[in-house]
Amino acid sequence: MSGSSLLSVAFATVALVMIVTARFAERFATRWGIPDCALRGALQDFSDMAAYRLYRWNGSADSSVAHRPSAC
């Protein structure tokens, strides 16, 4: 697969997830309530950020670049 094809597949996958999430958003909000939905979203963002930073810090992303934790 070429780089542009891989990018297209990645974009299409993200778009599909967004469509499915939007389709069921009302059910989630009704079931969990707005505050719990916001908390779940914040926790997911935090865990994604932590996983990405760990991935970058241990050198998995690019072995040609020195990786170390950043201040931000």
Side-chain angles (χ1 to χ4, degrees):
M1 238 186 205
S2 71
S4 62
S5 296
L6 190 59
L7 185 62
S8 295
V9 170
F11 183 78
T13 303
V14 170
L16 185 62
V17 169
M18 290 172 59
I19 291 167
V20 170
T21 302
R23 175 80 173 110
F24 294 106
E26 185 177 357
R27 286 187 199 169
F28 295 148
T30 302
R31 184 176 185 182
W32 298 328
I34 299 298
D36 284 343
C37 285
L39 178 61
R40 287 172 191 257
L43 291 175
Q44 183 66 43
D45 287 345
F46 179 75
S47 66
D48 290 347
M49 178 193 65
Y52 175 74
R53 289 173 77 63
L54 182 61
Y55 171 77
R56 293 287 298 177
W57 181 73
N58 74 10
S60 300
D62 184 2
S63 60
S64 66
V65 178
H67 296 283
R68 56 189 172 272
S70 62
C72 55

